[in-house]
Amino acid sequence: MRLALLGIVAAVLLAGCGDSRTPAPPAGRILAPAGFRDVSYPEAGIKLRAPDNWRIFQGTAPQIATIASGDGQIAIWRYPRTEPLPVTQAQLKAARHALIAQVEIRDKTFRLTSSRIVVKPGLRGVELVGQATNEGERRFVRSLHAYEHGAEVVVDAFSPAADFARVDRETF
């Protein structure tokens, strides 16, 4: 009996020997896209391309979804609007100024890097890029506010500062 017990203990100890374990990649590591796939939310009028190897989580209104890899995320929101939406350059410019003011009120740590008006076929919007605090973490963010079909669709793409340039170029 004692000999059998010693044999089991020896087997357990020997099983732990050998090469050291390969460390797991850091949990916050943001994967480079391994290709892109079309993602659509027809009920919200939203269609975009997302990295194949990022996870997609369905949201609850007004959040449509979150697309994530490590500490990188793309959050998609849809806010119905009753007021007239900006269409002309002048209206979009006014919307940009109002949006910047609103962001600065909501997040006292926000620092604007750049902003622009976006006008493309089927898309009128405002884009802000800057530093913000998200869930207590300092992050860089690219935020697109698109106005169409009685709603403001917001696509917030953010990551830690150290990763932002790469993730912005590869994914956002």
Side-chain angles (χ1 to χ4, degrees):
M1 176 78 164
R2 218 170 177 194
L3 191 55
L5 184 58
L6 278 172
I8 291 171
V9 170
V12 169
L13 289 174
L14 287 174
C17 295
D19 292 339
S20 61
R21 294 184 61 174
T22 303
R29 187 172 135 237
I30 303 168
L31 299 174
F36 288 85
R37 66 183 181 268
D38 292 327
V39 177
S40 65
Y41 302 94
E43 68 287 348
I46 298 170
K47 186 162 90 172
L48 66 139
R49 296 182 53 75
D52 283 333
N53 53 337
W54 285 36
R55 297 175 319 277
I56 299 177
F57 303 94
Q58 296 301 107
T60 303
Q63 187 174 21
I64 303 300
T66 299
I67 303 166
S69 172
D71 290 334
Q73 292 187 14
I74 302 167
I76 305 162
W77 308 83
R78 184 179 189 278
Y79 300 100
R81 297 291 187 224
T82 55
E83 68 272 12
L85 298 174
V87 176
T88 67
Q89 282 286 73
Q91 291 169 337
L92 287 165
K93 186 176 180 180
R96 179 176 65 187
H97 289 295
L99 181 59
I100 292 168
Q102 194 62 254
V103 170
E104 289 172 343
I105 288 169
R106 288 185 184 163
D107 181 356
K108 300 292 185 206
T109 70
F110 180 74
R111 297 294 172 261
L112 182 68
T113 304
S114 67
S115 68
R116 68 183 179 126
I117 293 169
V118 180
V119 178
K120 295 182 178 185
L123 173 65
R124 296 202 184 293
V126 173
E127 181 183 71
L128 305 180
V129 178
Q131 292 183 26
T133 301
N134 180 276
E135 297 182 3
E137 298 287 330
R138 195 80 177 131
R139 302 192 185 276
F140 271 76
V141 62
R142 177 176 298 280
S143 184
L144 174 66
H145 297 250
Y147 308 99
E148 192 68 41
H149 305 296
E152 177 180 355
V153 173
V154 181
V155 180
D156 286 331
F158 50 92
S159 76
D163 299 309
F164 186 77
R166 175 185 65 85
V167 178
D168 191 41
R169 183 180 62 255
E170 293 173 349
T171 308
F172 301 160

